[in-house]
Amino acid sequence: VAAAIPNSRRPDTRFLDASLIDGGFAISLLPASRDPESSERAADALVRLFMEALYADTTNAFGPVFEQYFRNALLLLLSQSPEDCLIENLPRIFEDKAYRDMLLADNPDTAVNSFWRETATKANGEMSLASVTPYVTSKLTRLIGTAQARRIFPGAGKGIDFAAAMDAGDILILRCPKGDLGEGRTGLAMAAALMQIQEAAMARASRNSRKPVRLYVDEFQGARGQALGTLLAEGRKFGVSLTLANQSLGQIDGVRD
Protein backbone atom coordinates (compact mmCIF):
# COMPACT_ATOMS: atom_id res chain seq x y z
CA VAL A 1 0.00 0.00 0.00
CA ALA A 2 2.78 2.43 0.89
CA ALA A 3 4.54 1.69 -2.39
CA ALA A 4 1.39 2.53 -4.35
CA ILE A 5 1.13 6.06 -2.95
CA PRO A 6 2.06 8.65 -5.60
CA ASN A 7 5.15 10.77 -5.03
CA SER A 8 3.03 13.91 -4.68
CA ARG A 9 1.38 12.47 -1.55
CA ARG A 10 4.49 11.05 0.12
CA PRO A 11 5.02 14.16 2.31
CA ASP A 12 1.47 13.70 3.66
CA THR A 13 1.93 10.00 4.48
CA ARG A 14 2.78 8.45 7.85
CA PHE A 15 3.57 4.73 8.19
CA LEU A 16 3.11 3.66 11.81
CA ASP A 17 4.06 0.15 12.96
CA ALA A 18 2.96 -1.06 16.40
CA SER A 19 5.52 -3.88 16.42
CA LEU A 20 8.56 -1.58 16.24
CA ILE A 21 10.12 0.34 19.13
CA ASP A 22 10.49 3.39 16.91
CA GLY A 23 7.43 2.63 14.79
CA GLY A 24 5.49 5.70 15.94
CA PHE A 25 2.28 3.75 16.61
CA ALA A 26 0.83 5.29 19.77
CA ILE A 27 -2.80 5.66 20.88
CA SER A 28 -3.13 8.09 23.77
CA LEU A 29 -6.05 7.05 25.97
CA LEU A 30 -5.72 10.20 28.08
CA PRO A 31 -6.49 13.74 26.86
CA ALA A 32 -3.95 16.53 26.74
CA SER A 33 -6.66 19.00 27.77
CA ARG A 34 -7.45 19.42 31.47
CA ASP A 35 -11.08 20.52 31.04
CA PRO A 36 -13.77 18.40 32.78
CA GLU A 37 -15.52 17.42 29.54
CA SER A 38 -12.32 15.94 28.07
CA SER A 39 -11.70 14.02 31.29
CA GLU A 40 -15.23 12.62 31.31
CA ARG A 41 -14.94 11.57 27.65
CA ALA A 42 -11.65 9.82 28.42
CA ALA A 43 -13.25 7.98 31.33
CA ASP A 44 -16.18 6.89 29.15
CA ALA A 45 -13.82 5.73 26.38
CA LEU A 46 -11.64 3.71 28.74
CA VAL A 47 -14.62 2.00 30.38
CA ARG A 48 -15.90 1.17 26.87
CA LEU A 49 -12.49 -0.21 25.93
CA PHE A 50 -12.46 -2.46 28.99
CA MET A 51 -16.02 -3.70 28.55
CA GLU A 52 -16.11 -4.06 24.74
CA ALA A 53 -12.55 -5.00 23.82
CA LEU A 54 -10.53 -6.21 26.78
CA TYR A 55 -13.07 -8.20 28.78
CA ALA A 56 -16.08 -8.56 26.50
CA ASP A 57 -16.32 -12.27 27.33
CA THR A 58 -16.10 -11.77 31.10
CA THR A 59 -19.59 -10.69 32.10
CA ASN A 60 -18.83 -10.37 35.83
CA ALA A 61 -15.68 -8.29 35.38
CA PHE A 62 -17.46 -4.96 35.77
CA GLY A 63 -20.11 -3.32 37.85
CA PRO A 64 -20.96 -0.04 39.58
CA VAL A 65 -18.18 -0.49 42.15
CA PHE A 66 -15.52 -0.85 39.45
CA GLU A 67 -16.81 2.17 37.56
CA GLN A 68 -17.06 4.33 40.68
CA TYR A 69 -13.49 3.62 41.79
CA PHE A 70 -12.02 3.65 38.29
CA ARG A 71 -13.63 6.93 37.26
CA ASN A 72 -12.56 8.71 40.42
CA ALA A 73 -9.01 7.38 40.04
CA LEU A 74 -8.83 8.49 36.43
CA LEU A 75 -10.24 11.95 37.16
CA LEU A 76 -7.69 12.34 39.96
CA LEU A 77 -4.88 11.25 37.64
CA LEU A 78 -6.01 13.75 35.01
CA SER A 79 -5.65 16.61 37.49
CA GLN A 80 -1.88 16.43 36.92
CA SER A 81 -0.01 18.27 34.21
CA PRO A 82 -0.11 16.31 30.91
CA GLU A 83 3.60 15.40 31.02
CA ASP A 84 3.06 13.56 34.33
CA CYS A 85 -0.21 11.96 33.30
CA LEU A 86 0.56 8.32 32.48
CA ILE A 87 -1.94 5.50 32.49
CA GLU A 88 0.67 3.32 34.19
CA ASN A 89 0.32 5.59 37.24
CA LEU A 90 -3.33 4.64 37.78
CA PRO A 91 -2.47 1.71 40.09
CA ARG A 92 -0.37 4.07 42.23
CA ILE A 93 -3.51 5.99 43.17
CA PHE A 94 -4.84 2.81 44.76
CA GLU A 95 -1.61 1.44 46.19
CA ASP A 96 0.50 4.48 47.13
CA LYS A 97 -1.14 6.71 49.77
CA ALA A 98 1.62 9.36 49.58
CA TYR A 99 1.17 9.65 45.81
CA ARG A 100 -2.62 9.81 46.16
CA ASP A 101 -2.38 12.49 48.87
CA MET A 102 -0.02 14.54 46.68
CA LEU A 103 -2.58 14.53 43.85
CA LEU A 104 -5.45 15.31 46.19
CA ALA A 105 -3.60 18.34 47.57
CA ASP A 106 -3.57 19.97 44.11
CA ASN A 107 -6.91 18.70 42.78
CA PRO A 108 -9.67 21.34 42.45
CA ASP A 109 -12.48 18.78 41.99
CA THR A 110 -14.22 18.64 45.36
CA ALA A 111 -16.37 15.64 44.41
CA VAL A 112 -13.31 13.54 43.51
CA ASN A 113 -11.47 14.67 46.64
CA SER A 114 -14.47 13.80 48.81
CA PHE A 115 -14.67 10.33 47.28
CA TRP A 116 -11.05 9.49 48.08
CA ARG A 117 -10.95 11.14 51.52
CA GLU A 118 -14.32 9.97 52.72
CA THR A 119 -15.88 7.13 50.72
CA ALA A 120 -12.88 5.09 49.56
CA THR A 121 -10.71 5.29 52.67
CA LYS A 122 -13.54 4.78 55.16
CA ALA A 123 -15.42 1.95 53.43
CA ASN A 124 -15.28 -1.52 54.99
CA GLY A 125 -15.65 -5.10 53.82
CA GLU A 126 -15.90 -5.77 50.09
CA MET A 127 -16.15 -2.04 49.39
CA SER A 128 -12.93 -1.22 51.21
CA LEU A 129 -10.01 0.22 49.26
CA ALA A 130 -7.89 -2.84 50.06
CA SER A 131 -10.54 -5.17 48.62
CA VAL A 132 -11.36 -3.10 45.55
CA THR A 133 -7.74 -2.34 44.56
CA PRO A 134 -6.87 -5.69 42.91
CA TYR A 135 -10.35 -5.83 41.37
CA VAL A 136 -9.63 -2.58 39.50
CA THR A 137 -5.87 -2.62 38.94
CA SER A 138 -5.87 -6.16 37.53
CA LYS A 139 -7.92 -4.86 34.58
CA LEU A 140 -5.02 -2.56 33.61
CA THR A 141 -2.47 -5.31 33.06
CA ARG A 142 -2.95 -5.55 29.29
CA LEU A 143 -2.50 -1.78 28.95
CA ILE A 144 0.57 -1.33 31.15
CA GLY A 145 1.92 -4.82 31.87
CA THR A 146 4.70 -4.79 29.24
CA ALA A 147 7.04 -2.23 27.70
CA GLN A 148 5.34 -2.82 24.35
CA ALA A 149 1.90 -2.04 25.80
CA ARG A 150 3.18 1.11 27.50
CA ARG A 151 4.71 2.22 24.19
CA ILE A 152 1.45 1.68 22.28
CA PHE A 153 -0.59 3.44 25.00
CA PRO A 154 1.58 6.38 26.12
CA GLY A 155 0.92 9.42 28.30
CA ALA A 156 -1.65 12.14 27.80
CA GLY A 157 -1.69 13.73 24.37
CA LYS A 158 1.30 11.76 23.04
CA GLY A 159 -0.52 9.62 20.50
CA ILE A 160 -1.72 9.92 16.91
CA ASP A 161 -3.89 12.99 16.32
CA PHE A 162 -6.59 11.48 14.14
CA ALA A 163 -8.65 14.68 14.04
CA ALA A 164 -5.71 16.67 12.67
CA ALA A 165 -5.00 13.98 10.08
CA MET A 166 -8.63 14.06 8.93
CA ASP A 167 -8.66 17.85 8.68
CA ALA A 168 -5.40 17.91 6.72
CA GLY A 169 -6.35 15.02 4.43
CA ASP A 170 -3.25 13.08 5.46
CA ILE A 171 -2.65 9.39 4.76
CA LEU A 172 -2.11 7.19 7.83
CA ILE A 173 -1.06 3.57 7.46
CA LEU A 174 -1.37 1.73 10.77
CA ARG A 175 0.24 -1.69 11.04
CA CYS A 176 -0.79 -4.04 13.87
CA PRO A 177 0.80 -7.42 13.00
CA LYS A 178 -0.77 -10.23 15.00
CA GLY A 179 2.40 -12.33 14.78
CA ASP A 180 4.42 -9.68 16.64
CA LEU A 181 1.81 -8.26 19.00
CA GLY A 182 -0.27 -11.33 19.76
CA GLU A 183 -3.98 -11.58 19.03
CA GLY A 184 -5.08 -9.83 22.23
CA ARG A 185 -2.88 -6.76 21.86
CA THR A 186 -3.61 -6.52 18.13
CA GLY A 187 -7.34 -6.45 18.80
CA LEU A 188 -6.85 -3.91 21.58
CA ALA A 189 -4.72 -1.61 19.41
CA MET A 190 -7.26 -1.80 16.57
CA ALA A 191 -10.17 -1.17 18.93
CA ALA A 192 -8.48 1.85 20.51
CA ALA A 193 -7.60 3.32 17.10
CA LEU A 194 -11.12 2.82 15.76
CA MET A 195 -12.65 4.39 18.88
CA GLN A 196 -10.55 7.50 18.37
CA ILE A 197 -11.32 7.59 14.64
CA GLN A 198 -15.03 7.34 15.49
CA GLU A 199 -14.78 10.16 18.05
CA ALA A 200 -12.80 12.38 15.65
CA ALA A 201 -15.38 11.75 12.92
CA MET A 202 -18.35 12.50 15.17
CA ALA A 203 -16.70 15.73 16.37
CA ARG A 204 -17.08 17.01 12.77
CA ALA A 205 -20.89 16.75 12.96
CA SER A 206 -21.49 20.48 13.40
CA ARG A 207 -19.38 21.49 10.39
CA ASN A 208 -21.04 22.37 7.11
CA SER A 209 -18.02 21.29 5.09
CA ARG A 210 -16.06 18.11 5.84
CA LYS A 211 -13.23 16.51 3.90
CA PRO A 212 -14.19 12.95 2.96
CA VAL A 213 -12.34 10.31 4.98
CA ARG A 214 -11.69 6.86 3.52
CA LEU A 215 -11.08 4.18 6.11
CA TYR A 216 -9.69 0.81 4.99
CA VAL A 217 -9.47 -2.03 7.53
CA ASP A 218 -7.82 -5.31 6.61
CA GLU A 219 -8.53 -8.38 8.81
CA PHE A 220 -11.31 -6.28 10.31
CA GLN A 221 -12.69 -9.22 12.26
CA GLY A 222 -9.80 -8.62 14.68
CA ALA A 223 -11.19 -5.22 15.71
CA ARG A 224 -12.95 -5.65 19.03
CA GLY A 225 -15.60 -3.37 20.47
CA GLN A 226 -18.49 -1.41 19.00
CA ALA A 227 -16.64 1.43 17.23
CA LEU A 228 -16.55 -0.30 13.85
CA GLY A 229 -20.26 -1.13 14.02
CA THR A 230 -21.04 2.48 14.91
CA LEU A 231 -18.98 3.73 11.98
CA LEU A 232 -20.78 1.33 9.65
CA ALA A 233 -24.14 2.59 10.85
CA GLU A 234 -23.42 6.31 11.16
CA GLY A 235 -20.13 7.09 9.41
CA ARG A 236 -21.70 8.37 6.20
CA LYS A 237 -23.27 11.41 7.84
CA PHE A 238 -19.86 12.32 9.27
CA GLY A 239 -18.16 12.03 5.88
CA VAL A 240 -16.52 8.64 6.54
CA SER A 241 -16.63 5.71 4.13
CA LEU A 242 -15.35 2.22 4.95
CA THR A 243 -13.75 -0.57 2.97
CA LEU A 244 -13.45 -3.75 5.04
CA ALA A 245 -11.55 -6.91 4.09
CA ASN A 246 -11.46 -10.38 5.62
CA GLN A 247 -11.65 -14.06 4.66
CA SER A 248 -15.07 -15.43 5.57
CA LEU A 249 -18.57 -14.48 6.74
CA GLY A 250 -18.14 -16.71 9.77
CA GLN A 251 -15.61 -14.24 11.20
CA ILE A 252 -17.87 -11.22 11.30
CA ASP A 253 -20.73 -12.04 13.65
CA GLY A 254 -20.26 -8.77 15.53
CA VAL A 255 -21.00 -6.53 12.52
CA ARG A 256 -22.77 -8.92 10.11
CA ASP A 257 -26.17 -7.21 10.43
Side-chain angles (χ1 to χ4, degrees):
V1 172
I5 294 171
N7 290 334
S8 61
R9 293 304 313 275
R10 294 294 173 93
D12 309 320
T13 301
R14 296 172 64 194
F15 189 103
L16 309 171
D17 191 333
S19 68
L20 302 178
I21 292 176
D22 58 351
F25 189 110
I27 308 291
S28 179
L29 302 174
L30 305 178
S33 173
R34 301 294 88 188
D35 65 274
E37 288 188 2
S38 296
S39 299
E40 287 291 345
R41 284 197 300 269
D44 288 340
L46 270 167
V47 171
R48 278 181 58 202
L49 193 65
F50 285 131
M51 297 180 69
E52 297 175 6
L54 276 170
Y55 300 100
D57 299 326
T58 311
T59 55
N60 61 348
F62 298 94
V65 173
F66 170 87
E67 190 158 350
Q68 182 186 34
Y69 275 83
F70 178 79
R71 281 184 177 274
N72 279 282
L74 184 61
L75 293 174
L76 182 57
L77 180 71
L78 291 173
S79 68
Q80 297 187 90
S81 58
E83 60 268 20
D84 297 321
C85 195
L86 303 171
I87 198 166
E88 62 201 73
N89 285 336
L90 265 174
R92 292 183 64 191
I93 292 175
F94 292 87
E95 301 162 351
D96 186 340
K97 183 179 182 301
Y99 178 70
R100 184 170 67 244
D101 288 344
M102 179 190 74
L103 297 184
L104 288 169
D106 295 327
N107 184 31
D109 191 325
T110 55
V112 172
N113 290 352
S114 176
F115 172 82
W116 287 106
R117 289 189 170 127
E118 301 296 329
T119 305
T121 54
K122 294 181 180 179
N124 297 311
E126 292 184 355
M127 287 287 291
S128 70
L129 185 58
S131 297
V132 172
T133 291
Y135 170 57
V136 176
T137 57
S138 63
K139 308 291 192 303
L140 297 167
T141 302
R142 295 190 197 177
L143 293 176
I144 63 175
T146 66
Q148 187 182 59
R150 292 190 293 273
R151 185 176 71 247
I152 294 173
F153 303 107
K158 296 180 180 178
I160 303 164
D161 190 337
F162 289 103
M166 287 182 181
D167 290 343
D170 289 343
I171 299 172
L172 301 184
I173 301 176
L174 310 181
R175 184 171 183 263
C176 302
K178 190 186 301 184
D180 294 311
L181 300 179
E183 186 172 353
R185 194 159 294 129
T186 296
L188 180 58
M190 291 177 71
L194 286 166
M195 282 177 60
Q196 293 206 353
I197 291 169
Q198 175 201 338
E199 291 175 4
M202 293 175 69
R204 310 189 320 158
S206 60
R207 303 184 194 176
N208 293 325
S209 177
R210 295 184 291 266
K211 283 189 177 183
V213 174
R214 319 295 187 194
L215 176 62
Y216 302 83
V217 188
D218 189 25
E219 304 285 4
F220 76 94
Q221 77 281 357
R224 303 176 181 180
Q226 302 301 315
L228 186 59
T230 301
L231 282 168
L232 280 167
E234 303 180 13
R236 181 168 168 262
K237 62 187 175 188
F238 300 118
V240 179
S241 67
L242 291 92
T243 301
L244 308 178
N246 79 319
Q247 283 75 40
S248 68
L249 293 174
Q251 296 174 317
I252 61 170
D253 287 340
V255 295
R256 181 196 299 265
D257 291 342

